[in-house]
Amino acid sequence: MVKQFHNISFWFKKNPIYTIIIVSLFLRLIIMSLYQHVTVYPDTEDYINLAQRLLDFNLNGYEGQRSPGYPLLLGLTHINLYLSVIFQSILGIIANIYMYKLCLTLGLKVRSSLLLILFIVSYIPSIFFEYAILTESLTLFFITMIFYTLFRLLKQNNSNPKYYISLSVLCTFLVLIKPFYVYLPCLLFIISIIYNNKKQIPISKTIFVLIFPLLAFIGWSSVNKSNTGYFTSTTYYGFNIAQNCVSFAEYTTNEYKDIGDIYAKYRDDRDSSKYEIAMTIWEAYPELKEKTDLSFPDLSNRLYNYSIATIKRNPTDYLKQVAISWTDFWKTSLYWDYDSFAIPYSNFILKYICYAERIVLQMLKILFVLLIPFHTINFVRRKYVSPQFIISIVVFVTSILQAIITYGTNSRFSFPFEMFMVLSVALDYFDFRKLIKLKS
């Protein structure tokens, strides 16, 4: 028995990619047998509506609530939600494989890389995102591929434009999935310039990172301009920023007093056990629509103007709200239908497993945040662009921007970066071990 276990263990170490695939599949099959459910959220309907329009090749009159990235995935499955879940699960397994390859690229040994990835693979809440008809799993896949391509590019010091074009194409898909990430190619462009400065690689090479994502962003915004009259990547923008005004909604200008009063009424009268305060604007939406008699895009634009005017009058309250949103970014999340499990009591058991895993991840995320100043100071003093510094800057900028833009389910913004936070902390751990060995 011991010999058989040793042989299996030896095979796993000799075949790390197969090991990752087997463990990933095994866990997903367990969840599938226990859950047997597709998790649908209010956002899901918008994605399905756009997917149907894309299948019909008809965007005439579309009100621009969503961008086409995720609906394209739904369209590939002909809006079969079960097939979409299978597709997301496959992408999740591929992301795990490339995460392992990234660990090797960054200099970790095979054994250390495998153990780290198995830790990441075993994080159950991540698997449940694959059962949700939301953008998170697809976003995770493309962010993984972007980081892998970026670090391969930087490590190899390769100035061939085709590698920068590959990075640009990946960023383009990410922007189409979630236009919020239009900042990422801009940030990667700056990071590439800083990193390549010593290698004397011309800016004309790295500029490719920007081209396609910006064209995609401008192109889709132009489609919305044609349909709605507003040049925007999504007509949710007014509602999103209005969510940041929820705690001071009524303290606005006379021009927007009617909106502020309705908003504040729903905030104060809401059922706290049923609705989150951040979602108040959506509770108020029917009355706001009736009061203003505006279409969705027009109401969103008016809410944007209301939000800007209200924030200008209440800058301190806005900054407090941004601080709350920023703090929420670092929390963990679990998206599932607890009462929809096919196997009785399995939800109860998984709840505590997920709870324990989330506690561990939460501790690692806190440690990651505490290490951000260290990597920043290290960069300023030594001009050394470490992998941890790159990850820290990307994640920190994301945390700030999402907090400025909206208040709500902010932890969803951090989900696609969680495995990279774990990787960054792991790299710091191995660097610390090397330093201790050198000193001893």
Side-chain angles (χ1 to χ4, degrees), residues 110-317:
V110 171
R111 183 176 180 276
S112 299
S113 299
L114 180 58
L115 290 175
L116 178 60
I117 298 307
L118 290 180
F119 172 79
I120 291 171
V121 165
S122 302
Y123 187 63
I124 305 296
S126 179
I127 298 176
F128 276 104
F129 264 113
E130 296 170 4
Y131 285 81
I133 306 302
L134 295 171
T135 61
E136 273 62 37
S137 288
L138 192 60
T139 300
L140 171 62
F141 171 77
F142 277 101
I143 286 179
T144 302
M145 298 305 296
I146 286 169
F147 270 109
Y148 172 75
T149 305
L150 174 69
F151 283 117
R152 289 275 293 183
L153 187 61
L154 298 181
K155 285 289 181 179
Q156 293 175 357
N157 298 323
N158 201 316
S159 61
N160 192 323
K162 72 178 183 181
Y163 293 103
Y164 289 98
I165 292 173
S166 298
L167 188 59
S168 183
V169 170
L170 289 168
C171 288
T172 299
F173 279 105
L174 183 62
V175 169
L176 288 175
I177 295 164
K178 205 163 190 174
F180 164 77
Y181 289 111
V182 70
Y183 78 89
L184 187 57
C186 301
L187 186 57
L188 297 184
F189 172 69
I190 295 171
I191 291 172
S192 297
I193 290 175
I194 295 172
Y195 191 90
N196 292 334
N197 186 41
K198 296 180 180 180
K199 314 297 179 183
Q200 297 183 337
I201 296 176
I203 294 178
S204 59
K205 303 286 187 181
T206 56
I207 197 73
F208 282 106
V209 176
L210 291 174
I211 295 175
F212 295 126
L214 293 182
L215 286 176
F217 185 86
I218 293 169
W220 183 249
S221 296
S222 298
V223 171
N224 287 334
K225 170 71 173 177
S226 176
N227 287 322
T228 68
Y230 300 105
F231 184 83
T232 178
S233 58
T234 167
T235 50
Y236 274 119
Y237 68 100
F239 288 87
N240 290 336
I241 195 167
Q243 288 179 237
N244 265 331
C245 301
V246 65
S247 62
F248 51 95
E250 66 271 40
Y251 303 114
T252 187
T253 62
N254 288 332
E255 182 181 359
Y256 302 106
K257 190 176 185 303
D258 55 341
I259 291 178
D261 288 345
I262 293 172
Y263 195 177
K265 180 183 71 173
Y266 279 87
R267 179 199 64 205
D268 296 336
D269 295 344
R270 70 188 177 86
D271 182 352
S272 60
S273 64
K274 186 176 181 182
Y275 298 110
E276 294 181 10
I277 190 171
M279 298 297 109
T280 302
I281 192 64
W282 296 106
E283 296 172 59
Y285 170 62
E287 185 172 342
L288 287 171
K289 182 176 175 58
E290 182 182 355
K291 178 75 174 180
T292 60
D293 196 28
L294 295 173
S295 66
F296 185 88
D298 290 337
L299 179 55
S300 182
N301 184 64
R302 184 159 178 78
L303 283 173
Y304 174 80
N305 294 330
Y306 153 80
S307 300
I308 297 302
T310 308
I311 289 169
K312 284 181 179 178
R313 291 198 66 176
N314 306 273
T316 303
D317 290 323

Side-chain angles (χ1 to χ4, degrees), residues 330 359-371 421 425:
W330 304 104
I359 290 176
V360 174
L361 179 61
Q362 187 67 75
M363 293 172 64
L364 290 172
K365 291 174 82 169
I366 292 171
L367 184 56
F368 172 83
V369 174
L370 294 175
L371 287 168
M421 298 184 209
V425 171

Side-chain angles (χ1 to χ4, degrees), residues 10-47:
F10 180 77
W11 187 90
F12 281 162
K13 292 177 184 177
K14 284 293 184 181
N15 300 276
I17 291 180
Y18 285 120
T19 300
I20 293 169
I21 293 172
I22 290 170
V23 175
S24 298
L25 273 174
F26 176 71
L27 288 174
R28 280 160 177 78
L29 288 172
I30 290 177
I31 299 300
M32 182 179 69
S33 63
L34 297 177
Y35 198 44
Q36 298 180 32
H37 178 70
V38 176
T39 319
V40 175
Y41 291 91
D43 294 353
T44 303
E45 185 179 353
D46 287 338
Y47 295 124

